[in-house]
Amino acid sequence: GAGVSQSPSNKVTEKGKDVELRCDPISGHTALYWYRQRLGQGLEFLIYFQGNSAPDKSGLPSDRFSAERTGESVSTLTIQRTQQEDSAVYLCASSLAGGQGAAGELFFGEGSRLTVL
Amino acid sequence: LAKTTQPISMDSYEGQEVNITCSHNNIATNDYITWYQQFPSQGPRFIIQGYKTKVTNEVASLFIPADRKSSTLSLPRVSLSDTAVYYCLVAAYSSASKIIFGSGTRLSIRP
């Protein structure tokens, strides 16, 4: 596609339910990032995929959070047993390289807004 | 990863030049400086990137002093549509690593 696509754009769920968020990066982009942004706050790094390398999971806040990526395509972020503090916009970004230098510009999707009741 | 410090918020008026300064005292030799802009309900978008001295594009200018411990994003003749959050990042031009965003500067432009 022309840009990074995320779905769903909005998700309302009940506390304790599992949710799955999807990200379709720009074709050919080897790097993919997930961020969380709470209302009025900055972006909180969650996880980073680069090609076939092991992902950098150092930002995942708890073991309820996990993410997968198949090759250099779609990624899914899964939150198990959701809590109210998980309510936020989850942003996905992709880039040609590792996000550094002129070739590493991050392209963001519109985000998935998660509300946990 | 170098940490960055920028003002939490700034106010200005239409037609003015706005300068947002970011401190990155621990910047490494192979780090680049990148600025992103985020409008409400949207993901951030790339504005400008530089390594040293001055970089200019159609949107902004980026000034980087010789010691590279700070950088200044300059927005000429701002309009109401420039109201957004601006993030300063530093990251190495190397193989893969995560990109950390700071809290950003919330810029409000008034008529």
Side-chain angles (χ1 to χ4, degrees):
Chain A
V4 177
S5 176
Q6 292 188 245
S7 62
S9 55
N10 279 286
K11 176 71 175 179
V12 180
T13 190
E14 294 179 346
K15 177 181 174 181
K17 300 287 189 182
D18 296 352
V19 297
E20 193 172 274
L21 308 177
R22 175 186 170 106
C23 173
D24 277 283
I26 293 172
S27 178
H29 280 193
T30 58
L32 187 146
Y33 302 77
W34 282 98
Y35 293 89
R36 178 171 70 179
Q37 187 170 37
R38 293 192 167 112
L39 186 64
Q41 304 296 311
L43 279 74
E44 177 185 359
F45 169 79
L46 296 178
I47 189 169
Y48 163 57
F49 296 90
Q50 172 59 43
N52 294 317
S53 301
D56 183 334
K57 304 179 181 181
S58 59
L60 294 178
S62 76
D63 59 7
R64 296 187 295 105
F65 288 72
S66 63
E68 294 183 347
R69 186 183 187 194
T70 305
E72 296 181 356
S73 61
V74 172
S75 175
T76 55
L77 175 69
T78 302
I79 309 173
Q80 295 179 309
R81 306 181 302 283
T82 53
Q83 303 295 313
Q84 289 183 331
E85 62 263 28
D86 299 334
S87 296
V89 175
Y90 289 82
L91 290 160
C92 175
S94 69
S95 72
L96 275 172
Q100 301 82 30
E105 176 184 343
L106 297 183
F107 293 83
F108 281 84
E110 295 293 310
S112 292
R113 182 177 298 277
L114 175 65
T115 302
V116 182
L117 302 177
Chain B
L1 296 172
K3 291 185 178 179
T4 61
T5 303
Q6 32 180 148
I8 294 174
S9 63
M10 293 181 68
D11 295 326
S12 188
Y13 293 91
E14 283 190 294
Q16 300 295 305
E17 177 183 83
V18 171
N19 296 309
I20 306 174
T21 297
C22 178
S23 297
H24 26 80
N25 292 318
N26 297 321
I27 191 168
T29 303
N30 56 348
D31 282 341
Y32 276 69
I33 300 157
T34 311
W35 286 79
Y36 285 80
Q37 175 190 56
Q38 185 180 26
F39 297 116
S41 302
Q42 295 185 22
R45 67 166 188 156
F46 174 94
I47 301 176
I48 197 166
Q49 183 180 78
Y51 183 80
K52 62 180 178 180
T53 63
K54 176 184 175 182
V55 179
T56 298
N57 61 23
E58 65 277 7
V59 176
S61 294
L62 179 60
F63 298 91
I64 306 168
D67 66 5
R68 303 200 327 121
K69 294 184 182 297
S70 67
S71 59
T72 299
L73 175 72
S74 181
L75 304 172
R77 299 174 60 85
V78 294
S79 65
L80 295 176
S81 62
D82 291 315
T83 295
V85 178
Y86 293 81
Y87 296 94
C88 163
L89 313 178
V90 292
Y93 192 177
S94 64
S95 59
S97 69
K98 61 191 179 187
I99 302 296
I100 303 296
F101 282 73
S103 299
T105 297
R106 188 174 300 277
L107 176 65
S108 298
I109 305 301
R110 303 178 181 182

